[in-house]
Amino acid sequence: MSFKIRPRRGLIVYLNSMKTVKSLRRYGHVQYSSRRMHYVVLYVDEENIANTVEKLRQLRNVRKVMQSHWPEIDPELTDLEVTGLYKKHDEDEKE
């Protein structure tokens, strides 16, 4: 028996009320919940992501579901200006 690491994806689930946070455990692993901002960070297996997002959107208490873009980002970004993620400003050139 060997242990396999399953790819996972983070979901940010915005809620109307924080009363149903415990019930979200059936859809994945609840990593963080913010009572003030009314959202939950939920980790789900990558193979079930489309099905789980659809189920979450059908719940009454859920306002919005967003997927994390972390797996899509290139971890070896060396020059942020070339990729367009960062633009130089006049303040950056002052010493």
Side-chain angles (χ1 to χ4, degrees), residues 20-59:
T20 58
V21 172
K22 281 189 178 181
S23 67
L24 293 178
R25 291 182 190 166
R26 73 174 62 151
Y27 299 102
H29 177 73
V30 176
Q31 182 68 32
Y32 177 77
S33 63
S34 171
R35 290 194 175 278
R36 199 181 99 194
M37 302 286 287
H38 292 277
Y39 75 90
V40 173
V41 177
L42 185 73
Y43 282 95
V44 181
D45 291 340
E46 188 77 40
E47 59 192 31
N48 302 332
I49 195 79
N51 191 16
T52 305
V53 168
E54 200 54 44
K55 285 181 183 178
L56 287 171
R57 285 188 176 145
Q58 292 175 358
L59 296 176

Side-chain angles (χ1 to χ4, degrees), residues 6-94:
R6 293 180 288 179
R8 304 189 91 188
R9 171 75 63 115
L11 295 176
I12 295 88
V13 182
Y14 290 94
L15 304 170
N16 291 323
S17 170
M18 295 301 286
K19 291 181 181 179
T20 58
V21 172
K22 281 189 178 181
S23 67
L24 293 178
R25 291 182 190 166
R26 73 174 62 151
Y27 299 102
H29 177 73
V30 176
Q31 182 68 32
Y32 177 77
S33 63
S34 171
R35 290 194 175 278
R36 199 181 99 194
M37 302 286 287
H38 292 277
Y39 75 90
V40 173
V41 177
L42 185 73
Y43 282 95
V44 181
D45 291 340
E46 188 77 40
E47 59 192 31
N48 302 332
I49 195 79
N51 191 16
T52 305
V53 168
E54 200 54 44
K55 285 181 183 178
L56 287 171
R57 285 188 176 145
Q58 292 175 358
L59 296 176
R60 282 185 181 182
N61 197 27
V62 173
R63 276 190 285 155
K64 182 168 63 168
V65 178
M66 296 173 52
Q67 290 187 22
S68 171
H69 296 289
W70 182 258
E72 301 162 5
I73 297 174
D74 183 15
E76 297 178 11
L77 287 178
T78 54
D79 193 6
L80 296 177
E81 281 185 65
V82 172
T83 60
L85 293 174
Y86 179 76
K87 295 178 183 173
K88 249 187 181 176
H89 298 287
D90 293 335
E91 297 136 8
D92 294 339
E93 295 174 4
K94 294 179 184 176

